């Protein structure tokens, strides 16, 4: 595959294609999270969790990634509902949760190995992708401790949704090839985020929330 002169120069000076693709993907994913938060009003577990999830999904495939995510969340809910009744330090509680989560994932893999469940290639998934998705457990518990269950689930849902959108974008060959050959997009994203950072208007989510109020104000002004 041929690259632009600038990209080829970078590749010839010690940076692999995979590394450059990953670094470029991070800039795109971070910008997607920024757009989702400040233009659409979609809250997520910060910026780190959606980026890591989207990259993990690019290694696992969406179907496998979402299946692992479901196991992680169900296991976390069950383990936390039990251990929260025991008085202990927060980090100890998290450590126990990860121990239970590990057992749950092993059982899940054994079930998949025996029954398939449409996930026959699960054993070929890189372990780091498993670990990256498992880290979602920590974010969920932190949010669950501070917020209500409903709020925690909503933020979890939007985090996974943003990650899925991010996965779709960075997993398109046409997009990754274009970005690799047009690395000027990275400083362009910096400029775009500078503009987004100055946005003070109503987000799309707020427009739907306050639609009735805005309609009443328009009628009054007439």
């Amino acid at each position: 595959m041929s690259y632009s002169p600038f990209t080829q120069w970078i590749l010839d000076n010690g940076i692999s294609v995979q590394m450059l693709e990953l670094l470029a993907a991070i800039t795109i994913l971070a910008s997607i999270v920024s757009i989702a938060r400040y233009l659409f009003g979609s809250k997520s577990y910060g910026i780190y969790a959606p980026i890591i999830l989207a990259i993990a999904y690019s290694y696992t495939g969406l179907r496998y990634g979402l299946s692992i995510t479901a196991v992680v969340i169900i296991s976390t809910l069950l383990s936390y509902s039990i251990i929260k009744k025991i008085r202990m330090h927060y980090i100890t509680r998290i450590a126990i949760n990860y121990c239970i989560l590990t057992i749950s994932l092993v059982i899940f893999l054994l079930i998949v190995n025996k029954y398939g469940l449409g996930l026959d290639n699960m054993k070929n998934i890189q372990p780091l992708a498993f670990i990256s998705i498992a880290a979602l457990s920590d974010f969920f518990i932190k949010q669950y401790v501070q917020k209500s269950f409903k709020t925690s689930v909503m933020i979890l849902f939007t985090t996974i949704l943003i990650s899925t959108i991010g996965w779709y974008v960075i997993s398109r060959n046409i997009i990754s090839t274009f970005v690799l050959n047009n690395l000027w997009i990275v400083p362009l994203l910096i400029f775009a985020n500078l503009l987004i950072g100055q946005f003070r208007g109503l987000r799309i989510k707020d427009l739907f929330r306050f639609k009735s109020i805005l309609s009443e104000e328009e009628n009054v002004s007439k």
Side-chain angles (χ1 to χ4, degrees):
M1 178 179 178
S2 59
Y3 297 100
S4 66
F6 181 60
T7 300
Q8 191 61 55
W9 178 81
I10 293 176
L11 297 177
D12 291 339
N13 283 273
I15 298 181
S16 66
V17 175
Q18 292 79 9
M19 178 61 71
L20 192 57
E21 285 180 341
L22 183 59
L23 292 175
I26 289 173
T27 64
I28 295 172
L29 293 171
S31 298
I32 289 174
V33 176
S34 176
I35 292 170
R37 179 69 179 91
Y38 296 109
L39 296 186
F40 288 87
S42 302
K43 293 183 179 179
S44 63
Y45 295 145
I47 197 168
Y48 177 76
I51 289 176
I52 292 300
L53 265 186
I55 293 174
Y57 290 167
S58 71
Y59 283 100
T60 63
L62 186 62
R63 179 159 54 96
Y64 291 89
L66 291 178
S67 299
I68 299 168
T69 301
V71 173
V72 168
I73 297 304
I74 293 172
S75 172
T76 300
L77 280 173
L78 292 176
S79 66
Y80 185 74
S81 64
I82 296 172
I83 61 180
K84 73 176 181 179
K85 299 176 183 178
I86 306 173
R87 188 180 181 86
M88 67 179 73
H89 296 298
Y90 174 75
I91 297 298
T92 308
R93 196 187 305 273
I94 298 298
I96 294 174
N97 173 69
Y98 273 114
C99 292
I100 296 174
L101 176 57
T102 299
I103 295 172
S104 300
L105 286 172
V106 169
I107 293 174
F108 172 65
L109 291 173
L110 290 173
I111 292 174
V112 168
N113 182 64
K114 184 174 181 60
Y115 298 104
L117 304 178
L119 303 170
D120 299 322
N121 294 323
M122 186 70 76
K123 64 177 66 175
N124 297 324
I125 294 177
Q126 296 183 21
L128 187 58
F130 265 96
I131 295 171
S132 299
I133 298 174
L136 184 65
S137 175
D138 195 11
F139 291 98
F140 182 72
I141 287 182
K142 286 180 180 177
Q143 191 67 232
Y144 190 21
V145 169
Q146 298 173 0
K147 306 288 184 180
S148 66
F149 175 75
K150 181 180 179 181
T151 301
S152 301
V153 170
M154 285 300 298
I155 295 176
L156 170 66
F157 174 77
T158 53
T159 297
I160 295 174
L161 178 61
I162 293 170
S163 301
T164 301
I165 294 171
W167 159 82
Y168 181 83
V169 172
I170 66 173
S171 61
R172 303 306 98 181
N173 288 332
I174 188 171
I175 294 177
S176 61
T177 301
F178 180 79
V179 172
L180 279 181
N181 284 296
N182 297 273
L183 292 175
W184 51 266
I185 288 177
V186 175
L188 180 63
L189 289 176
I190 294 175
F191 178 72
N193 280 287
L194 284 172
L195 294 178
I196 294 170
Q198 303 300 314
F199 181 72
R200 294 294 181 270
L202 285 176
R203 297 156 188 169
I204 292 177
K205 180 180 178 181
D206 296 328
L207 289 175
F208 283 103
R209 178 191 291 180
F210 302 119
K211 184 178 180 180
S212 59
I213 298 175
L214 293 172
S215 299
E216 289 178 4
E217 289 181 351
E218 288 180 1
N219 293 331
V220 171
S221 63
K222 291 179 181 179

